[in-house]
């Protein structure tokens, strides 16, 4: 593995804090680099703030959220091209993504393609690892710079997992040479909500493969940790950072903040606290920058820890306490058991593994977003919490993609959207989701106020505008019918 570039201390670039980030950037402010959500940047229209940072020599790293490398399908070629273009346009030394799946179904499983709208955990099994490794290799071949993958905060436990998180990540790095983006806030979230020990995970990780580290805030309520990215970084997360820094000196550490942005002075204090943790670890002499490979952890079947509560992963996730009992009573059988591809003879292990993983992920995602029966082995309460968290996250993103909707609908927007989401899975992205939500309200006479209805109808007619015609006559007829009905 090539030596990893030293990045220093960074912060997540967001339009809301762009001016503050520019002031903090460089030797005077102490911000050495920034990270930007890759899907929010267009290569031909990079925000002026990012261009100015680049001109000043500030490194910009694109952070993807939509590849779904942990899914059963091979990575989408267009998404890979888009990520590669952003890396080149930003002059990035690497790109990052997540160890997660974000969609399931489709041709592989002969079922409707469903979008989660957020990051979901992959099972820590040999099948999932085989598929993930192949997907990572495909992505590495398509990208012009090295790839690093982030551990996520998970709400649900897959039944029958065969490895711990540390063992899973060790084998992933060993087989692909991929780098790691370790989110210490996610390690803390999984500690509180799933009973997983951050120190044990760090002991098993190949720390020499760490490209950089995420640090983010959250809050605890009723025994549940909410990984909000909208609150100050708490001491518990800094403690996990200190644990990591006692083992290795990370090439970079980045502060994430996605919402509820504070004054710049507060961000600077958080960055100073991060630097303080790293300096203390360095002064104590516990950290190493060695590129020597770590010793492989012993692989034993992982058991799901008994926990009293769960939290949604990601910004603004809703969560409620959940029971620790994993009951299968009354739930639908899983589509297929997730077992090792190595058990399949005849040289067709990867396609068979993909299909088994695809069936399992499609059954789970359908239960979460389409209300189908809970697959065997999953806890009903936890899946209910995750389902509500996905609907809430979806409402947040649609409200940002189509900010007129919360204005038009006022306080009724969020409950109306969450109710809509429970029976209408997302299949074609957030912009289409916003239009479909408006159609749902208008065609179902669910808006009582005449003025609100007129404003919503005008918005829909303006946004649904001319678009390339579908090749399917039935789709063209349905679109024309909706427009006629909505004009009445």
């Amino acid at each position: 593995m090539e030596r990893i570039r030293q990045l220093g201390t960074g912060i997540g670039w967001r339009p809301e804090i762009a001016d503050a980030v520019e002031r903090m950037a460089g030797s005077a402010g102490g911000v050495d680099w920034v990270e930007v959500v890759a899907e929010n940047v267009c290569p031909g229209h990079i925000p002026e703030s990012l261009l100015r940072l680049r001109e000043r020599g500030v490194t910009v790293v694109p952070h993807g959220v939509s590849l779904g490398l942990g899914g059963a399908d091979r990575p989408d070629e267009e998404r890979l091209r888009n990520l590669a273009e952003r890396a080149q346009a930003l002059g990035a030394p690497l790109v990052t993504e997540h160890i997660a799946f974000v969609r399931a179904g489709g041709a592989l499983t002969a079922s409707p393609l469903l979008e989660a709208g957020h990051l979901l955990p992959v099972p820590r099994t040999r099948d999932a690892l085989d598929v993930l490794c192949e997907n990572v290799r495909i992505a590495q071949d398509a990208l012009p710079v090295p790839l690093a993958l982030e551990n996520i905060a998970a709400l649900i436990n897959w039944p029958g997992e065969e490895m711990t998180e540390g063992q899973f990540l060790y084998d992933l790095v060993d087989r692909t040479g991929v780098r790691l983006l370790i989110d210490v806030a996610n390690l803390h979230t999984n500690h509180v909500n799933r009973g997983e020990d951050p120190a044990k995970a760090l002991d098993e990780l190949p720390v020499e493969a760490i490209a950089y580290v995420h640090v983010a805030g959250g809050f605890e309520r009723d025994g549940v940790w909410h990984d909000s990215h909208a609150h100050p970084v708490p001491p518990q997360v800094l403690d996990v950072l200190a644990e990591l820094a006692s083992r290795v000196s990370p090439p970079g550490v980045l502060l994430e903040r996605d919402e509820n942005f504070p004054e710049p002075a507060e961000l600077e204090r958080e960055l100073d606290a991060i630097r303080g943790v790293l300096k203390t670890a360095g002064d104590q002499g516990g950290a190493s920058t060695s590129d020597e490979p770590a010793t492989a952890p012993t692989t034993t079947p992982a058991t799901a820890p008994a926990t009293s509560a769960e939290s949604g992963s990601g910004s603004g996730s809703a969560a409620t306490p959940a029971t620790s009992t994993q009951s299968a009573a009354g739930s639908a059988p899983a589509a297929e058991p997730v077992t090792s591809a190595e058990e399949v003879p005849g040289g067709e292990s990867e396609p068979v593994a993909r299909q088994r993983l695809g069936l399992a992920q499609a059954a789970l995602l359908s239960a979460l977003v389409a209300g189908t029966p809970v697959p065997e082995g999953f806890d009903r309460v936890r899946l209910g919490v995750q389902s509500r968290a996905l609907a809430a996250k979806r409402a947040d993103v649609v409200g940002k993609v189509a900010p007129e909707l919360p204005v038009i609908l006022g306080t009724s927007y969020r409950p109306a959207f969450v109710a809509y989401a429970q029976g209408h899975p997302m299949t074609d992205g957030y912009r289409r989701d916003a239009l479909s939500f408006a159609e749902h309200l208008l065609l179902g006479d669910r808006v009582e106020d005449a003025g609100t209805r007129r404003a919503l109808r005008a918005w829909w007619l303006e946004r649904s505008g001319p678009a390339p015609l579908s090749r399917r006559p039935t789709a063209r007829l349905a679109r024309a019918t909706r427009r006629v009905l909505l004009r009445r």
Side-chain angles (χ1 to χ4, degrees), residues 9-27:
T9 306
I11 190 169
W13 184 93
R14 302 293 183 267
E16 297 88 342
I17 56 172
D19 292 342
V21 170
E22 286 193 64
R23 288 194 296 271
M24 291 186 285
S27 57

Side-chain angles (χ1 to χ4, degrees), residues 139-160:
Q140 288 171 322
D141 288 343
L143 294 170
V145 293
L147 171 68
L149 295 181
E150 179 182 354
N151 60 304
I152 71 167
L155 176 69
I156 53 180
N157 295 320
W158 280 87

Side-chain angles (χ1 to χ4, degrees), residues 323-334:
T323 62
S324 61
T325 305
Q326 294 221 351
S327 171
S331 58

Side-chain angles (χ1 to χ4, degrees), residues 30-183:
V31 168
D32 305 304
W33 64 290
V34 300
E35 180 191 77
V36 60
V37 177
E39 287 79 0
N40 293 347
V41 176
C42 179
H45 301 84
I46 295 176
E48 290 294 326
S49 173
L50 287 177
L51 292 177
R52 287 192 293 269
L53 289 171
R54 288 287 299 122
E55 290 171 358
R56 293 166 55 188
V58 176
T59 299
V60 181
V61 175
H63 184 54
V65 297
S66 65
L67 270 186
L69 292 175
D73 286 310
R74 287 174 171 79
D76 181 79
E77 292 182 2
E78 183 177 358
R79 287 190 174 91
L80 282 174
R81 280 196 300 271
N82 289 340
L83 186 56
E85 289 173 358
R86 283 151 179 78
Q88 291 176 321
L90 295 169
L94 78 163
V95 296
T96 58
E97 250 286 353
H98 299 82
I99 302 171
F101 79 100
V102 297
R103 62 189 65 85
L108 183 65
T109 58
S111 61
L113 179 64
L114 299 175
E115 294 275 350
H118 200 42
L119 306 168
L120 292 174
V122 301
R124 297 167 191 162
T125 63
R126 290 296 170 190
D127 264 1
L129 181 61
D130 290 341
V131 172
L132 175 61
C133 287
E134 180 58 24
N135 286 348
V136 167
R137 294 186 192 103
I138 293 170
Q140 288 171 322
D141 288 343
L143 294 170
V145 293
L147 171 68
L149 295 181
E150 179 182 354
N151 60 304
I152 71 167
L155 176 69
I156 53 180
N157 295 320
W158 280 87
E161 291 195 319
E162 300 163 352
M163 290 171 275
T164 65
E165 181 167 38
Q167 293 163 348
F168 192 84
L169 295 179
Y170 183 96
D171 283 359
L172 172 65
V173 171
D174 186 53
R175 291 171 59 176
T176 65
V178 74
R179 291 156 171 79
L180 295 177
L181 161 50
I182 296 301
D183 190 315

